Amino acid sequence: MREAWVLNGFIPSNQEEKQILQDITTELTFNPCEKSHKLRFHSWKEPARIRNPKVVVEKLTGGKMEREQQYWEDTPLELLRKKGVHTGLTAYIDEIEERLIPIIGSAE
């Protein structure tokens, strides 16, 4: 689930990332950032390995956690809501807004 949410927030930052995303999109026949819910966590062997969201995130980030972190910190909230409908991210954001923010706001 975490990797699907990371993919929901992915915005290529340079030409290399754009090319990697394009190559993955071509291989999958869909954009994994737009439809990360179509990826499968159990795919570790070729040729299905590219369908594993962990593999896709690894390819897009080069294994750099700080790059992953940028996806959820810098991506506009409305874009995360739009892309996260099928991964549960939109529901999670809504729940945070409905339950946690009022609690934090009342503590001030």
Side-chain angles (χ1 to χ4, degrees), residues 20-81:
I20 292 168
L21 178 58
Q22 181 59 49
D23 292 346
I24 293 169
T25 298
T26 299
E27 189 171 350
L28 289 170
T29 69
F30 64 89
N31 184 322
C33 301
E34 299 289 334
K35 298 182 178 180
S36 61
H37 61 282
K38 293 179 77 172
L39 298 171
R40 300 291 172 253
F41 287 94
H42 62 276
S43 309
W44 284 105
K45 295 182 180 176
E46 298 295 348
R49 181 175 169 76
I50 193 62
R51 295 189 66 84
N52 186 314
K54 291 181 183 297
V55 172
V56 174
V57 168
E58 172 73 24
K59 285 184 177 231
L60 290 172
T61 65
K64 296 177 182 148
M65 180 55 90
E66 60 275 0
R67 186 63 183 111
E68 277 188 47
Q69 189 174 346
Q70 284 181 302
Y71 299 163
W72 65 76
E73 288 183 350
D74 297 342
T75 303
L77 192 56
E78 285 309 309
L79 184 58
L80 292 173
R81 284 181 193 280

